[in-house]
Amino acid sequence: MNNRRDVSVNPAGDIRHWGLSRISVSLCVWFAAAVVYAPLGAGAGPAGNKNVPIDIAAPDHPGPVDFEKEILPVFSTSCLACHNKTKAKSGLVLETPADIRKGGDDGPVVVPGKGAESLLLKSAAHAAGVDQPMPPPGNKVAAVNLTPRQLGLIRLWIDQGAAGEVRGNGAPVVWQAMPAVLDPIYAVAVCGDGRFAACGRANRIDVYDLPAGRLAASLVDPKLKSSGGRAAHRDMVESLAFSPDGATLASGSFREVKLWRAAPSDAKVELGTKPATCLVSNPDGTLLATAGEDGVVRLWESATGKSDGELTGNDSPTVGLCFSPDGAKVAGVSKDKAIHVWDVASRKPFGHVESPNEIRCVAFVAAGKQVAVGGADGLIRLWALPDAADGEMKAGKIFKGHEGPVNALSVIPGDDAHFLSGGQDSTVRRWNLDSGAASKQLKNGSPVFGVAARKDGKRWASVGEDGVAKLWNGDDQKLIGELKGDVEQAGRVAAADRAAALAKREIDYRAKRSDAAQKQVQAAGDRVKKAKDSLAPAEKALEEKQKAFDAAKSANDEAADVKDAAKKDKIAKDFSKAEEDLKQAQGAKSAAEDEIKLAGKDSDDGKEALALAKTAGEEAAKQGKTRAAEAADAKKPPAESNKKIRAIAFSADGALIATAGDDGTVRTWSAEKGLPTQTAGDGKKPIAAVAFAGAGVLAVCPADSAPALLQTGLTWKLDRTIGGADTSSPFADRVTSLDFSPDGKWLATGGGVPSRSGEIRLIDPVTGDVSRSFDDVHSDTVQCVRFSPNGKFLASASTDRFVRVLDLSTGKVVRSLEGHSGHALGVAWSHDGHTLVSVGADNSMRFWDAETGERGKVILGFDKEVAGVCYVGDADTAVAVSGDGKVRLVRDSGGDVKTYPGPTDFVYSVAATADGATIVAGGQDGVLRAWDVNSGQATGTFTGDERK
């Protein structure tokens, strides 16, 4: 099969090509031999493993026996699957001579110098008197019996002292960097609020900001410099999972799990010591300009926050500041009605003029050839720049239309014929430079304090007195959305609404279950009554038939003296019929009694189900009230939510918008759809101005404080490594799946040795300790583990073709779902916990009733293995990805809803945001794709080149 989960390659090639982690050489040899030789068990496996003594041949072997070259490979094929350092049954490890000489729980297994007396040899030879021959008959790992020559070699080795070393051919494993062309995505994950999506590309991990559509971080283990510099793991990233709060990302690879913690950066760089009221950045975001009460314009390097000179010549408080479209000039306006223009390169004045009106704002227009100023009188005046420094700035057109002060002006990048203004009259206007008229007027809803346009001119934004920012389509001037609140508040409201809606659905679901149980009780009661009603006639009939039988029997007993043959024959026939009638009557009575018992049990079961349904219904009703109240509380706006927003700015790359105002908080939003991304600032002082100063950095002007640079992104750091190939690891092989419990207290892992064992672990993410292990749930590699929404159960899918459900309170399997004819590769719960969906290598997608285990719909139509699945939001739909490049949204009642375009190669992994609005998927081509669930349109395509 093409599915990468099927391990059937030469492991030596793996080590060279994939860069597998360095493990003890003995385990490397064991893994290699297990993969290479395991198929041989088909003819000599458990079926032929009888407890019959095996001859021990005397080998023709001059000289000492080499343990590593001659004995260890023998143990690898038939012993090490159960007797290794990770999984040492009976405490016995057979990886090195030292391990073997230590023995196990039952004592020594070899007597150096005395091979014939050693338990190891006796067990392997199935000698008489041995309680447990090795390998055991019918073992589940297909371990084969040793041959007479192999037994003779082991005896000779023990006779020679059971000595030797495991040197790995005398050379350590040397790590190699992953090839640059090796970039498949085997794992994707999204955090709860839908902001971040993570994907593993080969041994690297990239985290993307979905609303912003940009790379947020590349996670790097600083210890892995030799593995390519940007490596998160030495081996392939097999699995990823975000914690419920989004602050932790778990990643799984070969024999290890890593936990990465995200924390807001508190880095702050103050720009000098003097407060400022105005702050702007040049078009490419490399230079900042600030000004304040003293009228001096100060320049700063965006990257470092270092001073880059001053622009002097004005001694009146600055009220407006801007860069020209080419960044070559700076214009400032002040309270004394003066307009100053400076040349940035020379740091010298370029032009100066006095305006007749009080000025509120300034902007370069007409490709930077003119300066527009907005006044308190509602007029916008244009001034032409001189051809050279110190030339005359000539007055130009006057634009009339605003009914009140003009508070904000902005150039429209790429459109030299128009500019924007915002006024106290609550309007945003687009002006035509040639006609002097407003070609478009937008209603903001409150007095406008700031306007801005994205670098491509296709998005405009306005902010004002009501504390709401608005995002406009620059092409048709239609409102795209309102930018209000913050990402945390929006997330709380959305989550509370979903929880309330889910609780309401649960009430309806439990009501239906209760009705069904009530009907079962009623039907069982009717059945009991009918059964009891049938018993009396059956008893009466039996009594009558018994009497008839007794009479017939008596007549038959006396028939010996009857001489008339015909009469004698009739008596015999009457007796035979009476006997048959009696048996039928007895059967009828017995059947009536059995039916009473069965109907009674059915009634008892129904009553129990009804009682449970009523209890569950009462709990659902209680939860419904709680969730409704929580949703109402979440929607209560914070006290500061209606405070004025005074500043707005687009990032240099046009991906984000920043807003700031009197609540002392800076908020960023996606510039395409206005989705919230993050917040910054301490909320203590009003902010008069904001600008972007590079990726993840904002410049702000807090009241009565020096302007500052704020790091706004999250910092991801490696917090803990659990296991690892260089140390004793709780994981025997690849960690193929990860999932956090809903409360974040546990991390479940899935894995195991291919064709040998399945492995499930529960880990405390705080301490990194393995709390519980479940190694008997599956007989082959566990490909997927998922907690139920209430955290009480764990569903797992395995290459043994089973999907099983563990009750975590008891550690017992409560559901065993059988139906896949190939490897079960993925499983997911519906958000209400009532339905499971599984996918597999049999090219199918199957739905199950999670409470009863009953099979639901089976979805076919995939041309290759279905490798991943997840439910989408709280609806009845699930999305599956497969080897044929399909990303399909399917209803659990059957039938496709939508297919998402883009992938053409194998897609391995898929995840959905909690609100069901976005899905992400990745596969063999190394591209992480995001789609809008409802429209089916791609909302992000990330190739990995973002790191370059």
Side-chain angles (χ1 to χ4, degrees):
M1 293 185 296
N2 292 326
N3 186 356
R4 53 97 188 185
R5 297 297 191 190
D6 295 309
V7 179
S8 58
V9 297
N10 186 295
D14 278 345
I15 294 172
R16 298 190 191 100
H17 183 67
W18 300 102
L20 284 178
S21 48
R22 180 182 178 188
I23 60 175
S24 67
V25 176
S26 60
L27 282 182
C28 284
V29 176
W30 159 60
F31 178 68
V35 175
V36 173
Y37 293 113
L40 298 178
N49 206 348
K50 304 296 185 181
N51 190 13
V52 176
I54 304 173
D55 292 336
I56 302 175
D60 181 12
H61 191 288
V65 178
D66 188 310
F67 175 84
E68 183 177 12
K69 294 181 179 180
E70 299 178 274
I71 302 300
L72 186 58
V74 175
F75 289 166
S76 297
T77 60
S78 298
C79 309
L80 289 187
C82 297
H83 297 289
N84 58 78
K85 289 182 178 178
T86 301
K87 184 179 180 181
K89 286 194 173 182
S90 301
L92 179 62
V93 177
L94 301 179
E95 293 182 358
T96 69
D99 293 326
I100 295 169
R101 291 194 297 270
K102 287 179 182 177
D105 296 340
D106 297 327
V109 295
V110 299
V111 181
K114 299 180 180 180
E117 299 178 15
S118 297
L119 179 61
L120 176 65
L121 184 66
K122 291 180 180 179
S123 296
H126 298 191
V130 172
D131 293 334
Q132 181 62 64
M134 292 294 169
N139 66 85
K140 66 180 181 180
V141 295
V144 298
N145 291 337
L146 273 59
T147 67
R149 185 186 180 283
Q150 290 171 334
L151 292 170
L153 201 62
I154 292 173
R155 182 175 64 183
L156 180 59
W157 171 69
I158 298 174
D159 287 342
Q160 291 176 350
E165 295 182 21
V166 178
R167 297 176 297 274
N169 295 322
V173 175
V174 178
W175 285 104
Q176 301 293 325
M178 288 281 187
V181 296
L182 186 64
D183 244 13
I185 295 175
Y186 287 164
V188 300
V190 290
C191 64
D193 61 8
R195 180 182 172 192
F196 293 111
C199 68
R201 287 191 176 95
N203 64 344
R204 300 179 296 278
I205 299 174
D206 292 326
V207 180
Y208 292 91
D209 187 325
L210 288 180
R214 57 163 57 173
L215 180 69
S218 290
L219 309 189
V220 176
D221 185 339
K223 294 181 180 179
L224 300 182
K225 296 295 184 182
S226 63
S227 295
R230 295 181 312 204
H233 290 272
R234 284 193 170 115
D235 200 1
M236 306 292 284
V237 178
E238 300 278 350
S239 49
L240 293 168
F242 277 102
S243 61
D245 62 3
T248 301
L249 176 66
S251 59
S253 184
F254 182 70
R255 301 192 70 197
E256 69 181 10
V257 170
K258 292 185 178 181
L259 299 179
W260 310 82
R261 308 282 187 187
S265 174
D266 57 0
K268 180 180 180 181
V269 177
E270 291 191 342
L271 305 179
T273 59
K274 293 183 177 295
T277 55
C278 299
L279 180 151
V280 292
S281 67
N282 65 350
D284 63 9
T286 59
L287 192 66
L288 296 169
T290 62
E293 291 297 316
D294 61 4
V296 177
V297 177
R298 295 175 173 84
L299 301 178
W300 312 88
E301 294 179 354
S302 297
T304 64
K306 293 181 180 179
S307 174
D308 199 19
E310 294 182 348
L311 307 178
T312 59
N314 173 47
D315 56 8
S316 178
T318 302
V319 296
L321 200 63
C322 68
F323 274 96
S324 62
D326 61 3
K329 294 178 177 62
V330 171
V333 293
S334 51
K335 281 188 176 181
D336 62 1
K337 305 178 184 178
I339 304 170
H340 294 269
V341 179
W342 292 270
D343 179 76
V344 174
S346 66
R347 306 296 197 263
K348 292 182 179 180
F350 187 81
H352 170 264
V353 71
E354 298 290 334
S355 176
N357 64 325
E358 178 188 340
I359 305 174
R360 295 284 182 92
C361 51
V362 62
F364 283 95
V365 296
K369 297 176 181 179
Q370 300 182 64
V371 173
V373 294
D377 57 2
L379 302 178
I380 300 172
R381 290 179 168 84
L382 299 188
W383 301 86
L385 294 182
D387 295 331
D390 297 327
E392 181 183 3
M393 293 182 64
K394 295 182 179 180
K397 293 179 180 178
I398 298 177
F399 296 80
K400 300 178 181 179
H402 279 290
E403 299 175 3
V406 179
N407 296 325
L409 293 169
S410 174
V411 66
I412 303 175
D415 183 358
D416 296 335
H418 300 87
F419 67 93
L420 298 176
S421 68
Q424 194 71 26
D425 59 1
S426 302
T427 66
V428 175
R429 299 171 188 250
R430 182 182 67 176
W431 299 91
N432 188 299
L433 282 168
D434 291 334
S435 67
S439 58
K440 195 68 180 179
Q441 177 176 313
L442 309 177
K443 295 181 179 180
N444 186 68
S446 72
V448 181
F449 296 136
V451 292
R454 196 167 71 179
K455 67 175 186 176
D456 61 1
K458 294 183 178 298
R459 291 291 183 271
W460 306 344
S462 58
V463 294
E465 191 172 56
D466 61 357
V468 177
K470 289 183 170 63
L471 183 64
W472 309 88
N473 187 317
D475 292 331
D476 58 16
Q477 290 78 55
K478 292 183 179 180
L479 180 67
I480 293 175
E482 293 186 342
L483 286 56
K484 54 186 177 181
D486 56 49
V487 63
E488 290 84 3
Q489 172 69 7
R492 286 191 295 270
V493 171
D497 280 344
R498 288 196 302 273
L502 199 59
K504 186 177 184 303
R505 286 176 56 190
E506 182 68 7
I507 293 172
D508 295 339
Y509 174 83
R510 292 302 168 188
K512 291 179 181 178
R513 287 279 184 171
S514 183
D515 289 344
Q518 183 65 58
K519 290 178 181 178
Q520 180 183 349
V521 171
Q522 181 63 46
D526 293 343
R527 182 181 172 189
V528 169
K529 183 179 183 303
K530 184 177 180 180
K532 287 181 177 180
D533 289 345
S534 68
L535 180 60
E539 289 176 335
K540 183 178 180 181
L542 177 59
E543 183 180 354
E544 292 174 352
K545 299 302 180 184
Q546 183 68 52
K547 290 179 180 179
F549 172 78
D550 291 342
K553 183 176 183 304
S554 178
N556 188 63
D557 290 343
E558 297 173 357
D561 298 331
V562 176
K563 302 299 183 180
D564 187 336
K567 184 176 182 181
K568 190 173 186 177
D569 183 56
K570 183 178 182 306
I571 292 172
K573 289 181 179 180
D574 289 344
F575 172 69
S576 178
K577 184 178 184 305
E579 185 177 36
E580 182 62 29
D581 290 345
L582 178 61
K583 287 180 180 179
Q584 290 181 0
Q586 289 173 333
K589 180 189 175 187
S590 178
E593 291 173 338
D594 289 343
E595 175 63 8
I596 290 173
K597 291 179 181 178
L598 292 173
K601 185 178 184 305
D602 193 16
S603 178
D604 292 341
D605 290 345
K607 290 176 181 178
E608 182 180 357
L610 180 59
L612 292 173
K614 287 183 176 179
T615 300
E618 291 169 358
E619 179 62 25
K622 181 180 177 182
Q623 289 294 323
K625 291 180 180 179
T626 301
R627 298 293 173 258
E630 290 173 347
D633 289 341
K635 292 175 183 177
K636 293 178 180 178
E640 68 276 8
S641 64
N642 60 351
K643 288 188 176 181
K644 298 175 183 178
I645 302 178
R646 298 189 178 275
I648 189 166
F650 281 90
S651 61
D653 62 4
L656 295 174
I657 305 170
T659 61
D662 289 354
D663 67 353
T665 300
V666 182
R667 294 179 173 86
T668 58
W669 320 76
S670 73
E672 190 63 26
K673 294 185 177 181
L675 301 174
T677 60
Q678 59 187 324
T679 60
D682 56 17
K684 295 179 180 179
K685 296 181 178 181
I687 296 175
V690 65
F692 282 90
V697 181
L698 287 170
V700 296
C701 286
D704 303 323
S705 300
L709 300 180
L710 302 178
Q711 292 283 347
T712 60
L714 295 175
T715 301
W716 291 86
K717 293 182 178 179
L718 179 60
D719 180 71
R720 183 183 300 278
T721 298
I722 305 167
D726 292 335
T727 62
S728 177
S729 173
F731 314 111
D733 204 273
R734 298 167 302 151
V735 180
T736 57
S737 184
L738 293 164
D739 195 37
F740 279 93
S741 60
D743 59 8
K745 293 181 178 179
W746 302 107
L747 174 65
T749 72
V753 180
S755 79
R756 299 274 174 140
S757 62
E759 180 180 274
I760 297 173
R761 304 277 184 265
L762 283 189
I763 295 172
D764 183 337
V766 175
T767 65
D769 295 334
V770 175
S771 173
R772 301 173 72 181
S773 297
F774 305 97
D775 294 336
D776 297 324
V777 176
H778 292 282
S779 61
D780 207 340
T781 307
V782 176
Q783 298 290 356
C784 187
V785 289
R786 292 292 181 264
F787 280 99
S788 63
N790 61 12
K792 296 180 179 180
F793 301 95
L794 187 72
S796 55
S798 168
T799 51
D800 65 6
R801 301 182 298 177
F802 282 93
V803 174
R804 291 192 165 99
V805 179
L806 269 172
D807 184 332
L808 294 175
S809 65
T810 63
K812 294 182 179 180
V813 174
V814 294
R815 298 281 180 271
S816 188
L817 310 179
E818 184 178 6
H820 285 286
S821 59
H823 298 176
L825 300 176
V827 65
W829 297 82
S830 62
H831 287 197
D832 58 14
H834 301 319
T835 308
L836 280 166
V837 59
S838 62
V839 295
D842 57 359
N843 305 0
S844 76
M845 181 178 182
R846 297 169 183 268
F847 292 93
W848 314 81
D849 187 309
E851 295 190 8
T852 66
E854 294 178 1
R855 298 182 189 182
K857 290 290 184 179
V858 177
I859 308 298
L860 303 175
F862 296 93
D863 296 326
K864 290 186 178 180
E865 303 95 318
V866 190
V869 66
C870 69
Y871 260 88
V872 178
D874 301 323
D876 58 351
T877 54
V879 62
V881 296
S882 55
D884 55 8
K886 290 180 180 177
V887 181
R888 293 172 62 184
L889 186 68
V890 178
R891 294 194 187 281
D892 57 21
S893 57
D896 281 15
V897 176
K898 199 176 271 78
T899 298
Y900 298 92
T904 57
D905 206 337
F906 208 118
V907 186
Y908 294 117
S909 186
V910 65
T913 56
D915 60 4
T918 303
I919 57 174
V920 298
Q924 187 64 34
D925 62 5
V927 178
L928 178 68
R929 293 177 171 86
W931 295 272
D932 180 279
V933 170
N934 293 323
S935 70
Q937 295 181 346
T939 57
T941 302
F942 309 103
T943 63
D945 293 335
E946 302 88 2
R947 301 188 234 100
K948 300 176 182 178

